[in-house]
Amino acid sequence: MTLNAREVHALKKAPAVEGVLPLFHVRWSPRSFDDREVSPSSLAKVFEAARWAASSFNEQPWRFLMGFRGDSAYKKIFESLGEYNQKWARTAPVLILGAAKTKFSHNGTDNRNALYDLGAAASYMTLQAAALGLATHQMAGFDAEKAKKLFGIPDEYVMGAAIALGYQGEPAALEDETLIQRESAPRARKPLGEFVFKEWGEPAKL
């Protein structure tokens, strides 16, 4: 039997850890989105969070293209998505595309941290969205060159990820058994010892 949206959301919650903000444990990446529209004021809060992410030399290299369902920006972002992501992202009321400027504004030299900084800003966005009861799903599966061409993005920008944003929908609305199963599967993460080291490959004592 397919779980409903409330049951899936409860299933996806990570175990609470004392002292860690609960927000980190409730954020996850659904593929089914409700028809409910997202208000401009809520989106402004999401992007305000991104605005205050840290960046090298305070360059703030991130740029975001945003489309509401039905407008030209949405159609361009959707058109650049891979076929698999198009199957489910069509239900999201908002699509976002991230890009990062790879040259520093103050001297024109390469900013090797640009994509890292874009990722930090996007992470802030997803957490702020979760705090507002919104859901996000970041996607690597899109044609970066096609997106750059459709939007006329300058060569000095590198593409990050596409993001679907909205309110969580019912898993059954995905109408694809594989997608429904993935939507309803529990989450898993590596233990700290697999990625926090004191020497390479040697877990730190935490």
Side-chain angles (χ1 to χ4, degrees), residues 113-196:
N113 294 308
L115 197 57
Y116 177 90
D117 293 342
L118 169 62
S123 182
Y124 276 34
M125 287 173 58
T126 64
L127 291 171
Q128 179 60 46
L132 296 171
L134 292 163
T136 53
H137 191 118
Q138 300 178 80
M139 297 169 273
F142 73 99
D143 188 329
E145 291 306 312
K146 185 173 186 177
K148 291 183 78 169
K149 183 177 180 180
L150 287 171
F151 282 104
I153 299 171
D155 290 340
E156 67 186 45
Y157 285 82
V158 62
M159 304 308 296
I163 304 173
L165 183 149
Y167 294 94
Q168 182 196 353
E170 294 294 335
L174 290 167
E175 299 179 350
D176 179 287
E177 191 57 37
T178 300
L179 289 174
I180 291 172
Q181 289 179 1
R182 294 191 69 177
E183 190 83 345
S184 305
R187 291 197 296 159
R189 287 294 188 273
K190 295 176 181 178
L192 298 182
E194 289 192 21
F195 62 88
V196 184

Side-chain angles (χ1 to χ4, degrees), residues 1-12 28 32 168-173 180 183-185:
M1 184 178 69
T2 302
L3 300 177
N4 62 37
R6 186 183 298 273
E7 291 169 330
V8 169
H9 189 68
L11 176 69
K12 297 288 187 178
W28 62 284
S32 180
Q168 182 196 353
E170 294 294 335
I180 291 172
E183 190 83 345
S184 305

Side-chain angles (χ1 to χ4, degrees), residues 53-62 104 106 110-114 116-117:
S55 63
S56 180
F57 282 95
N58 196 29
E59 174 67 25
Q60 303 163 61
W62 47 79
F104 282 113
H106 66 279
D110 291 339
N111 179 1
R112 68 180 183 86
N113 294 308
Y116 177 90
D117 293 342

Side-chain angles (χ1 to χ4, degrees), residues 18-92:
E18 184 179 358
V20 177
L21 295 175
L23 188 61
F24 292 105
H25 297 127
V26 300
R27 185 223 60 80
W28 62 284
S29 305
R31 290 181 174 84
S32 180
F33 290 87
D34 191 76
D35 286 338
R36 182 180 171 189
E37 298 297 329
V38 179
S39 70
S41 62
S42 291
L43 284 169
K45 293 181 178 70
V46 169
F47 286 110
E48 180 69 16
R51 181 181 175 218
W52 291 102
S55 63
S56 180
F57 282 95
N58 196 29
E59 174 67 25
Q60 303 163 61
W62 47 79
R63 305 290 186 272
F64 294 101
L65 292 151
M66 183 196 73
F68 290 98
R69 184 166 39 213
D71 69 17
S72 61
Y74 187 102
K75 292 175 182 177
K76 289 177 183 178
I77 297 172
F78 184 81
E79 188 178 336
S80 73
L81 297 179
E83 184 178 352
Y84 177 78
N85 286 330
Q86 286 184 344
K87 285 184 179 180
W88 59 265
R90 58 181 173 76
T91 66

